[in-house]
Amino acid sequence: MTPVISRIVQALEPSATMAMAAKAKELKAAGRTVYDLSLGEPDFTTPQHICQAALEAMEAGHTHYTVASGIPELKQAVVDQYQARHGLQFDPAQVVVANGAKHALHNVFTVLLNPGDEVVIPAPYWVSYAELVKLTGAVPAIVQTRQEDDFKLTPEQFRAAVTDKTKMLLLCSPSNPTGSMYSPEELGALADLAVEHDLLVVSDEIYERLVYPGHTFASFATVRPGLAERTILVHGVSKTYAMTGWRIGWTISPANVAKAMGGLQSQETSNPCSISQFAAVAALTGPQDCVDLMLAEFTKRRDLVTRRIAEIPGLSCAEMGGAFYAFINISEHLGRSYNGVRIDNSTQWCLELLDRQNVATVMGSAFGAEGYARVSFATSMENLEVSFARIEQFVAQ
Ligand code: PMP
Ligand code: GLU
């Protein structure tokens, strides 16, 4: 017999970022030189003192199950960091440590959404948001933002998207895939509407520490008094400390939500990796100069990418205030032919670019915005120089 996959998983789109990265790896394994701008993961190795803490954790025997929602040391470190950086006072019981921020988001949606509930998601959005919402039977209410608004949801757009089924708003600032950032005033205006309509807000702040000079980050929970009661903050170590493989992320939420997620996790995964949790404590409480060094490097790359996009005819992007992505408007190049092959959409554009020029990017359609391609600049300057020379050649042809 052929087993029949459940309806809910049949409807699930696999992650396009992971798929493009896998395709690039496949081509590399087959002997091609591929310039890989697909995946958003820092190319740096995890700082030595964090690896050392993992070794020490193993030697100290921290190789067993932990409390399902995470070790007290890590919850405390998370609370201390939000206090120190944003002046927010949380109880460690409000923190749930998960197997990465992606899993943390899955926990949030699972414990809060019922079938038919609507979640307002501004597009372009990170690939996993809409799919993880759909897994619960809830409905993503996608709102198209505009490049001229720096891809930010306006209060008018938010108001128009709210229905009697709306349960929450999902925000990501700095944004994957656009790099744009909401100012405290812009967040405040959205917060006022969330209060008026009694909505929850999930604020994905995983790129908080990757903010470029001239831009300021504000945690959503700080922009109006009393917002914490309706806010779920999502964060993790993957991007800040080059720890994507360690799989540690977390949420800070109202206590009853945290309790429900802890219970869910106790049935689903028991606990996040014990050794990784101790490494994450070292990341949060240890020296932070590694973060500054990585940010300095990302800043140079961001400047290079911004310059090259402006130089190539027909390409444009919004200003990147944070994170390590450029969301390139390629719409002027669609509807044209490359060596006799007509390219009508971002998927064809990205696949042809990979096929002809060996540059891996991700199609805008995967982020809910046709006419764009995302590049990750979490890769070396050399790789970026060559990649953009090839993109330039590709669009010229
Ligand atoms: N949120 C955003 C916006 C991301 O870009 C990522 C990157 N994968 C995640 C969450 C999840 O990160 P992780 O699961 O590695 O903690
Ligand atoms: N967040 C990164 C990206 O968008 C990693 C891959 C993923 O988890 O989607 O490329």
Side-chain angles (χ1 to χ4, degrees):
M1 75 178 281
T2 308
V4 179
I5 304 303
S6 72
R7 276 188 294 275
I8 206 143
V9 173
Q10 273 188 48
L12 185 78
E13 283 289 334
S15 163
T17 48
M18 303 300 273
M20 278 307 268
K23 204 171 168 66
K25 282 198 182 87
E26 219 174 86
L27 293 175
K28 276 187 220 165
R32 285 230 317 241
T33 304
V34 177
Y35 304 92
D36 190 0
L37 312 183
S38 63
L39 202 59
E41 70 168 339
D43 52 327
F44 307 107
T45 46
T46 305
Q48 184 52 38
H49 70 279
I50 300 174
C51 298
Q52 186 59 35
L55 288 172
E56 284 165 18
M58 280 188 271
E59 279 161 10
H62 295 305
T63 52
H64 300 275
Y65 293 132
T66 72
V67 176
S69 57
I71 57 173
E73 295 90 331
L74 183 50
K75 291 182 184 178
Q76 189 63 52
V78 167
V79 165
D80 290 347
Q81 209 184 47
Y82 261 84
Q83 164 77 53
R85 292 183 62 78
H86 307 298
L88 287 165
Q89 188 76 58
F90 293 109
D91 190 299
Q94 293 179 262
V95 178
V96 175
V97 183
N99 301 279
K102 190 183 281 186
H103 180 226
L105 284 157
H106 178 70
N107 283 343
V108 172
F109 301 144
T110 305
V111 306
L112 286 170
L113 297 175
N114 288 308
D117 285 345
E118 290 178 6
V119 179
V120 175
I121 306 178
Y125 53 80
W126 176 47
V127 287
S128 296
Y129 291 157
E131 297 307 312
L132 289 176
V133 166
K134 282 196 253 168
L135 261 188
T136 68
V139 182
I142 308 296
V143 181
Q144 286 298 332
T145 63
R146 293 176 287 251
Q147 189 174 338
E148 55 270 34
D149 292 332
D150 272 341
F151 297 111
K152 287 185 276 196
L153 180 71
T154 64
E156 297 72 35
Q157 287 176 316
F158 183 23
R159 189 185 284 285
V162 173
T163 71
D164 56 359
K165 298 206 176 80
T166 307
K167 181 99 184 239
M168 64 173 66
L169 166 68
L170 179 45
L171 289 176
C172 180
S173 176
S175 155
N176 177 2
T178 67
S180 69
M181 288 186 67
Y182 289 85
S183 69
E185 294 72 31
E186 288 163 339
L187 290 176
L190 297 176
D192 291 339
L193 284 169
V195 172
E196 183 185 323
H197 294 282
D198 202 18
L199 302 176
L200 295 165
V201 178
V202 176
S203 180
D204 185 342
E205 305 189 346
I206 197 161
Y207 295 102
E208 173 205 341
R209 305 285 296 277
L210 296 171
V211 170
Y212 300 111
H215 296 265
T216 321
F217 171 86
S219 175
F220 183 80
T222 61
V223 296
R224 291 284 186 271
L227 273 186
E229 67 180 37
R230 64 179 68 251
T231 303
I232 295 106
L233 300 170
V234 179
H235 215 310
V237 289
S238 283
K239 317 290 174 176
T240 315
Y241 301 101
M243 290 178 73
T244 44
W246 300 72
R247 309 309 304 130
I248 296 292
W250 56 81
T251 46
I252 310 178
S253 64
N256 68 323
V257 179
K259 187 158 181 268
M261 289 194 287
L264 173 69
Q265 225 167 241
S266 77
Q267 291 289 18
E268 274 194 333
T269 66
S270 295
N271 59 270
C273 169
S274 57
I275 301 152
S276 296
Q277 289 190 69
F278 282 94
V281 173
L284 293 185
T285 60
Q288 299 296 300
D289 47 338
C290 53
V291 181
D292 299 334
L293 287 173
M294 287 190 265
L295 180 62
E297 195 52 41
F298 282 129
T299 306
K300 283 190 231 156
R301 297 169 182 184
R302 196 244 352 207
D303 293 347
L304 168 76
V305 169
T306 304
R307 177 172 58 75
R308 293 298 281 124
I309 292 171
E311 280 169 3
I312 300 176
L315 300 187
S316 66
C317 68
E319 190 189 357
M320 287 91 85
F324 36 58
Y325 307 99
F327 204 55
I328 308 178
N329 188 329
I330 56 165
S331 55
E332 272 196 38
H333 293 287
L334 298 182
R336 294 184 176 173
S337 296
Y338 179 91
N339 285 349
V341 180
R342 203 180 136 96
I343 299 178
D344 284 318
N345 57 48
S346 59
T347 302
Q348 290 170 340
W349 195 90
C350 292
L351 292 177
E352 284 297 318
L353 178 65
L354 180 58
D355 195 37
R356 313 282 176 144
Q357 293 288 353
N358 295 322
V359 178
T361 57
V362 185
M363 53 292 274
S365 52
F367 304 92
E370 189 45 87
Y372 290 86
R374 189 193 78 171
V375 302
S376 156
F377 51 86
T379 184
S380 69
M381 293 288 269
E382 298 71 41
N383 204 2
L384 289 169
E385 294 274 11
V386 179
S387 300
F388 274 90
R390 286 168 167 260
I391 291 173
E392 187 161 31
Q393 231 175 6
F394 179 66
V395 300
Q397 285 171 357

